Amino acid sequence: MLRIGLTGGIGSGKTTVADAFANHGVPVIDADIIAHELVEPGLPALESIVKAFGDNILDKKGHLKRNKLRELILVDEGKRRKLESILHPAIHNEIETRINQIHAAYCILVIPLLIETRLTDMVDKVLVVDVSKNTQIERVKNRGKLSEDEIQSIIGIQCSREERLKAANEIVTNEGTLEDLAIQIAHLHQKFQQFAST
Ligand code: ATP
């Protein structure tokens, strides 16, 4: 099965693009969703995080305080690397497990840090969702969960737009409307189906 790695900066539109492929019946595996599932109470990844970051990273019910963790890793690269060393192998394994359960011409793997984590070998093609930094900031701000400073910090630790575009085999431009996006996805869907059958 052909593996398409879908990536892009924060708020670029990865989930929106993945949903558009899912509307064509394409199976989607999302590394962010897996990362959330892996840190449920009682699971080994959460135990490793507590060992590394201390008990106060959990709320009273034993759930991970995601905002607190994000604050810590945004200002401390060592902590960020520690978290990645816990989560990335587990995410990688889970992606492979799920791929093995799918039968389709191709699948979409949403991997936000595909390029940063040098996981491009895991996929056959890299599909980048591209937007300007201003659009990224506006759209994430509109979601209302992060301040502009936090968004800027996250953009700062992600790879640059240029690096991402350099690694791309295919590019979706998400500056326009959702209809514009749907047209691009329909075209890519045909292209990936054709490519998978050759
Ligand atoms: P994150 O990196 O935070 O996971 P993402 O890359 O998955 O984000 P989305 O969640 O798909 O990005 O999109 C970010 C926001 O922008 C969402 O609120 C989404 O509804 C909105 N959005 C995406 N594409 C468009 C578009 N073409 N026009 C208007 N709004 C859009």
Side-chain angles (χ1 to χ4, degrees):
M1 181 173 61
L2 184 69
R3 301 168 176 205
I4 308 295
L6 171 58
T7 194
I10 178 171
S12 55
K14 298 176 293 294
T15 306
T16 310
V17 168
D19 288 349
F21 277 104
N23 285 341
H24 287 280
V26 180
V28 172
I29 298 172
D30 188 322
D32 261 359
I33 295 175
I34 292 175
H36 271 64
E37 291 172 0
L38 285 173
V39 295
E40 288 295 319
L43 296 182
L46 185 59
E47 283 166 22
S48 303
I49 291 171
V50 172
K51 245 185 220 158
F53 291 83
D55 275 355
N56 56 0
I57 204 69
L58 297 180
D59 68 15
K60 283 179 190 149
K61 288 185 174 167
H63 289 97
L64 184 62
K65 290 186 196 164
R66 292 175 196 281
N67 292 348
K68 169 108 185 148
L69 187 61
R70 187 176 55 237
E71 280 166 23
L72 289 175
I73 63 167
L74 278 178
V75 296
D76 186 332
E77 191 179 343
K79 287 200 165 88
R80 177 154 51 90
R81 300 243 177 264
K82 180 72 202 170
L83 180 67
E84 286 172 358
S85 74
I86 295 168
L87 283 182
H88 288 177
I91 294 171
H92 193 283
N93 283 343
E94 185 59 27
I95 289 176
E96 290 295 341
T97 302
R98 293 189 190 189
I99 285 174
N100 287 330
Q101 291 163 354
I102 293 173
H103 298 286
Y106 77 96
C107 67
I108 296 285
L109 306 180
V110 188
I111 308 182
L113 298 179
L114 180 66
I115 293 152
E116 291 84 341
T117 52
R118 296 180 185 82
L119 279 178
T120 46
D121 283 352
M122 224 185 135
V123 300
D124 299 300
K125 280 188 184 293
V126 175
L127 171 60
V128 167
V129 194
D130 180 56
V131 287
S132 67
K133 193 170 165 183
N134 283 347
T135 304
Q136 263 181 299
I137 292 171
E138 275 317 301
R139 288 190 181 150
V140 179
K141 258 193 349 200
N142 284 342
R143 273 197 315 216
K145 286 187 187 154
L146 296 175
S147 70
E148 180 154 349
D149 278 354
E150 285 174 312
I151 302 167
Q152 292 276 13
S153 304
I154 293 171
I155 290 175
I157 61 169
Q158 296 185 336
C159 74
S160 69
R161 189 177 180 187
E162 290 69 32
E163 283 173 283
R164 214 176 268 120
L165 290 174
K166 216 167 129 192
N169 300 112
E170 300 288 348
I171 297 164
V172 171
T173 303
N174 190 18
E175 289 290 340
T177 63
L178 294 174
E179 288 73 28
D180 294 333
L181 198 62
I183 292 166
Q184 293 180 73
I185 304 307
H187 179 71
L188 279 172
H189 176 54
Q190 279 197 337
K191 198 168 174 178
F192 292 149
Q193 277 182 314
Q194 264 166 19
F195 189 78
S197 68
T198 56

